[in-house]
Amino acid sequence: HGSLDRDCSEIQQLMDYLDAHRSAEGEECQYCLVGHSTGTQDIVYFLNNAPALYRQKVTSFVLQASVSDREHAEVDDPETYAKNLAMAQEMRQNNKSNECMPRSAFWAPITAQR
């Protein structure tokens, strides 16, 4: 179960690894980030929240087929969306952010944090 914070941290870890093991001596690595679907959310979050040291290494990015599952769910079935949102908020208040929502909340497993 992921979170934008964790994904951002993992992108930073990958950059650290590539800098240490794949860069030419004395040359600074530059990166192009590519995100598809909800991966576009990771890139936008990274570009807004990662330390400047990492953001400045990104020279370009691609956002392909960006989506918002939350907005789709709200439009598709507002009543069910409202129930699931209330349940997720209650789970977060009870320190259960990383626990799965019921299967009826989404077609794929998601946490209350998501």
Side-chain angles (χ1 to χ4, degrees), residues 38-49:
T38 54
T40 62
Q41 295 172 7
D42 288 329
I43 292 175
V44 171
Y45 186 86
F46 177 87
L47 294 173
N48 284 311
N49 295 284

Side-chain angles (χ1 to χ4, degrees), residues 34-74:
V34 179
H36 178 266
S37 191
T38 54
T40 62
Q41 295 172 7
D42 288 329
I43 292 175
V44 171
Y45 186 86
F46 177 87
L47 294 173
N48 284 311
N49 295 284
L53 168 73
Y54 293 97
R55 291 192 322 261
Q56 67 191 19
K57 294 179 182 186
V58 177
T59 58
S60 57
F61 57 91
V62 177
L63 306 176
Q64 180 181 0
S66 54
V67 298
S68 171
D69 297 331
R70 183 176 294 173
E71 289 176 0
H72 177 271
E74 187 175 13

Side-chain angles (χ1 to χ4, degrees), residues 19-103:
D19 287 347
H21 299 285
R22 299 289 189 238
S23 64
E25 274 191 46
E27 293 204 20
E28 186 83 18
C29 285
Q30 296 180 337
Y31 297 92
C32 173
L33 301 179
V34 179
H36 178 266
S37 191
T38 54
T40 62
Q41 295 172 7
D42 288 329
I43 292 175
V44 171
Y45 186 86
F46 177 87
L47 294 173
N48 284 311
N49 295 284
L53 168 73
Y54 293 97
R55 291 192 322 261
Q56 67 191 19
K57 294 179 182 186
V58 177
T59 58
S60 57
F61 57 91
V62 177
L63 306 176
Q64 180 181 0
S66 54
V67 298
S68 171
D69 297 331
R70 183 176 294 173
E71 289 176 0
H72 177 271
E74 187 175 13
V75 170
D76 189 48
D77 186 351
E79 186 177 324
T80 300
Y81 173 79
K83 288 178 188 176
N84 288 328
L85 181 59
M87 182 185 306
Q89 290 170 335
E90 181 179 340
M91 289 172 70
R92 291 183 67 197
Q93 289 172 353
N94 292 322
N95 295 320
K96 296 181 179 183
S97 295
N98 291 322
E99 292 189 19
C100 281
M101 293 285 292
R103 189 75 167 138

